Amino acid sequence: MEIEVTRPKQFADMPRDYHLLVDGKVVAIIKRGTTQKITLPEGSKTLKAVVDWCSSAEFNVSDIRAGKIVVRNAFSSNFFKSVFLPLYYISVGKDRYLKIESCI
């Protein structure tokens, strides 16, 4: 299965690359403001995005619609969260620091 992965230009994590894992194995490195096509191995079950010690929740491959996903920082698009919650997201919420969304 081939998917298109987009990482928008967000201020948070500007110099850092995201790693996309499929069933625990790195399949792609995603740079800020890029879109790239990735071929998933047959029988893939889960996706996960990782940056440093923080990550996204696991995302089921079966939930991908139209072959497109977006990987973004979970809090930088919301002003309230970006001002008041960064410490939460890099500590207790480290497994929700990134977000994977399917595009329709």
Side-chain angles (χ1 to χ4, degrees):
M1 169 189 231
E2 186 170 271
I3 62 170
E4 187 174 278
V5 181
T6 301
R7 178 181 169 194
K9 288 184 179 180
Q10 293 179 301
F11 183 75
D13 305 324
M14 190 178 345
R16 301 177 347 191
D17 296 336
Y18 294 171
H19 293 72
L20 187 65
L21 283 66
V22 175
D23 297 331
K25 297 179 184 171
V26 176
V27 294
I29 296 175
I30 308 159
K31 298 192 178 292
R32 177 180 177 258
T34 63
T35 297
Q36 61 190 71
K37 291 191 180 213
I38 298 168
T39 302
L40 301 179
E42 278 297 315
S44 299
K45 302 215 183 295
T46 61
L47 294 173
K48 189 173 193 174
V50 177
V51 59
D52 297 335
W53 66 89
C54 299
S55 66
S56 67
E58 286 193 344
F59 185 85
N60 290 323
V61 171
S62 61
D63 293 339
I64 297 174
R65 293 180 188 82
K68 297 180 181 182
I69 61 169
V70 175
V71 179
R72 68 178 75 227
N73 182 291
F75 62 87
S76 68
S77 60
N78 182 311
F79 178 76
F80 174 78
K81 288 181 179 181
S82 67
V83 171
F84 296 106
L85 296 178
L87 288 177
Y88 166 78
Y89 280 106
I90 63 171
S91 58
V92 177
K94 68 181 179 61
D95 295 331
R96 289 182 293 278
Y97 182 86
L98 299 176
K99 191 174 191 176
I100 299 176
E101 300 171 330
S102 183
C103 297
I104 296 175

